[in-house]
Amino acid sequence: MSDDQFPGWHGTTIMGVKKGGEVVIAGDGQVSLGQTVIKGTARKVRRLSPGGYDVVAGFAGSTADAFTLLERLEAKLEATPGQLARASVELAKDWRTDKYLQKLEAMLIVSDGADIFVITGAGDVLEPEHDVTAIGSGGNYALAAGRALMDTDLTAEEVARKAMAIAGDICVYTNGNLTVESIKK
């Protein structure tokens, strides 16, 4: 089957919400191949503890590529303990300049409880303007819903869960089987 005939993997919505001294990263569990759901309970949000400092990370894109990037991020964090921004920039620089890493197809949302960043293969390390960010096939739906819910009395986790439910109702590549990790600084 040629590349242009391959139906492609779809099915991830990851979002991060920073509110009330807490950051929550939530991800759905769906993985689809073309129009077929392959798995509904994938775990795309992880807690890392390099150098004794907790970091929560969520990924969208190729799983193997994402794990490669998570391993690289852990190594950067071990070299710069407690400095997520610096480790994220170093990872993005490597990702942009290394010929092997350039081919990786994934995005990350990472947080240490104080900061939240989106790391992309284009060399970007983005900090969301409104303390809400989202990636993946349902990312825009989750982002819009999350931003609308930020001015309510809901906690960070409640915002994330409601926004992910809305994204799941709209995006056929997003389901309601959530993995939610929270972190405080």
Side-chain angles (χ1 to χ4, degrees):
M1 185 179 289
S2 68
D3 287 342
D4 59 348
Q5 293 176 332
F6 187 76
W9 295 94
H10 294 283
T12 298
T13 301
I14 305 293
M15 87 174 301
V17 177
K18 180 179 175 183
K19 187 175 182 188
E22 163 180 55
V23 176
V24 170
I25 297 180
D28 79 308
Q30 184 165 311
V31 177
S32 302
L33 179 60
Q35 297 178 354
T36 304
V37 176
I38 301 297
K39 184 173 184 176
T41 58
R43 186 169 153 75
K44 303 170 208 166
V45 178
R46 308 261 186 230
R47 183 175 294 272
L48 314 170
S49 295
Y53 293 89
D54 279 350
V55 171
V56 174
F59 62 86
S62 165
T63 304
D65 292 355
F67 278 111
T68 298
L69 293 168
L70 288 174
E71 288 172 5
R72 295 280 181 126
L73 178 62
E74 277 189 292
K76 299 291 182 192
L77 286 165
E78 287 172 359
T80 59
Q83 298 180 50
L84 180 61
R86 183 173 176 189
S88 297
V89 168
E90 291 299 317
L91 174 63
K93 285 181 358 186
D94 287 355
W95 193 352
R96 180 79 174 139
T97 58
D98 184 283
K99 289 191 185 305
Y100 167 73
L101 293 178
Q102 284 176 356
K103 296 180 186 340
L104 299 183
E105 296 180 4
M107 292 179 74
L108 303 175
I109 295 178
V110 297
S111 179
D112 60 2
D115 296 309
I116 185 169
F117 300 110
V118 176
I119 308 171
T120 75
D124 299 315
V125 177
L126 306 169
E127 187 171 14
E129 281 185 353
H130 303 284
D131 293 332
V132 179
T133 191
I135 57 176
S137 47
N140 289 336
Y141 308 117
L143 178 61
R147 285 192 54 191
L149 293 167
M150 285 298 282
D151 291 332
T152 66
D153 291 334
L154 298 175
T155 66
E157 182 170 342
E158 291 168 336
V159 168
R161 286 185 181 279
K162 283 186 180 275
M164 290 292 289
I166 291 167
D169 286 345
I170 298 169
C171 178
V172 298
Y173 298 115
T174 302
N175 71 15
N177 293 332
L178 300 182
T179 302
V180 179
E181 290 280 352
S182 66
I183 186 167
K184 295 180 183 180
K185 194 65 174 184

